[in-house]
Amino acid sequence: MATVPLNRESILAGHFVLRHLRPEELSRVAANAAFVHHKAQATIFQKGDTGASLMAVVNGRVKICTYAPDGKEIILNYIDRGNLFGEIALLDGRPRSADAVALDDTDLLVLERARLMPILTANPDTAAMMITVICQRLRQTSEALEDALLRDTPSRVARGLLRLARTFGKSDEAGHVRIDIKLSQQQLGSLIGITRESINKYIVEWTRAGYLAVKGGFITIHDRDILERLSEAES
């Protein structure tokens, strides 16, 4: 059973894209949205599936991933509570471009393409914000590809941590930035595109140096300036 609030409209009204809809349109979208619950590690959809819906994460986390010919998992993104995924297939109507897997027990609000597209068409500002989300994720993918091709391992680790900090960072009074998403070193390595052993090496090294702190599986950046310099270091 899903343990989520039942007020679809209030959830959508709090979303950074959909809250810009007019009240009557928001009500119409909410009336046709459905809650779906997925157990941890359940596949939500696979690459090639029909892209008939957009999904908002109400509770839990989702990873977006694909696989190399040798079976190696490549993580493209993590979607946390309050964010959308599935927007590419929603807009172009083509099959899914990657897999989506629930990392934790996850509750989704599913918005059907046939219901949502007429509303987006009638709301250029909301459609433009949806395109902005896609552009942001395309930039992230381009940065990750550039890192894999052009940068050495410590630069890639530093850049990966800084990207996560931009998306999931929470600053404290001391100016430290906690990456507010719990990832194993294997998951972090799959996201950055390097081995778990390499991730472990630099996390340990930089923690001892005082650049980072790790507690309860969460990474906190203590010296962002150092990571910025490491991220731009020549290979």
Side-chain angles (χ1 to χ4, degrees):
M1 294 287 292
T3 56
V4 295
L6 297 178
N7 192 330
R8 296 167 173 80
E9 193 166 337
S10 67
I11 292 170
L12 296 177
H15 194 274
F16 71 99
V17 172
L18 300 175
R19 68 188 179 200
H20 297 280
L21 294 173
R22 291 189 292 272
E24 64 274 14
E25 292 167 331
L26 194 64
S27 295
R28 201 178 344 145
V29 172
N32 292 289
F35 283 118
V36 178
H37 180 74
H38 292 275
K39 291 289 188 182
Q41 305 308 314
T43 298
I44 299 166
F45 57 69
Q46 292 182 302
K47 183 176 180 178
D49 286 352
T50 301
S53 59
L54 177 73
M55 301 178 191
V57 180
V58 180
N59 293 302
R61 295 178 302 157
V62 173
K63 70 176 177 182
I64 308 299
C65 59
T66 189
Y67 295 89
D70 63 1
K72 179 183 178 182
E73 182 184 58
I74 301 168
I75 296 177
L76 303 175
N77 205 356
Y78 288 104
I79 312 297
D80 212 1
R81 179 177 178 176
N83 287 304
L84 297 171
F85 66 100
E87 68 283 342
I88 293 177
L90 174 89
L91 292 178
D92 68 12
R94 300 185 65 186
R96 300 293 187 188
S97 58
D99 291 9
V101 178
L103 285 175
D104 312 310
D105 282 3
T106 297
D107 298 301
L108 303 176
L109 195 55
V110 180
L111 312 173
E112 295 299 325
R113 182 177 192 272
R115 303 279 188 176
L116 189 56
M117 284 303 295
I119 293 174
L120 289 179
T121 301
N123 288 269
D125 289 344
T126 304
M129 292 191 71
M130 191 75 71
I131 292 169
T132 298
V133 171
I134 294 173
C135 290
Q136 182 182 40
R137 290 179 180 167
L138 180 59
R139 287 179 185 275
Q140 291 173 346
T141 301
S142 296
E143 285 180 12
L145 179 60
E146 177 185 325
D147 292 350
L149 294 175
L150 301 178
R151 297 186 180 276
D152 62 6
T153 301
S155 175
R156 290 168 65 184
V157 174
R159 289 171 71 86
L161 292 174
L162 290 169
R163 279 198 297 274
L164 286 170
R166 287 197 297 270
T167 303
F168 301 108
K170 300 286 181 64
S171 297
D172 62 20
E173 293 179 357
H176 301 155
V177 180
R178 181 178 188 260
I179 298 174
D180 200 28
I181 182 170
K182 188 174 182 180
L183 301 175
S184 69
Q185 292 186 355
Q186 182 64 56
Q187 290 170 331
L188 189 56
S190 295
L191 179 64
I192 297 173
I194 61 178
T195 65
R196 184 194 64 77
E197 290 76 15
S198 292
I199 287 289
N200 179 260
K201 173 185 175 182
Y202 290 104
I203 294 295
V204 169
E205 181 179 314
W206 295 348
T207 298
R208 287 174 177 166
Y211 309 158
L212 307 173
V214 181
K215 184 176 181 180
F218 292 94
I219 297 173
T220 299
I221 298 174
H222 282 192
D223 195 330
R224 188 165 189 147
D225 290 341
I226 287 287
L227 286 193
E228 294 281 4
R229 288 201 290 273
L230 287 167
S231 75
E232 297 300 329
E234 298 290 337
S235 55

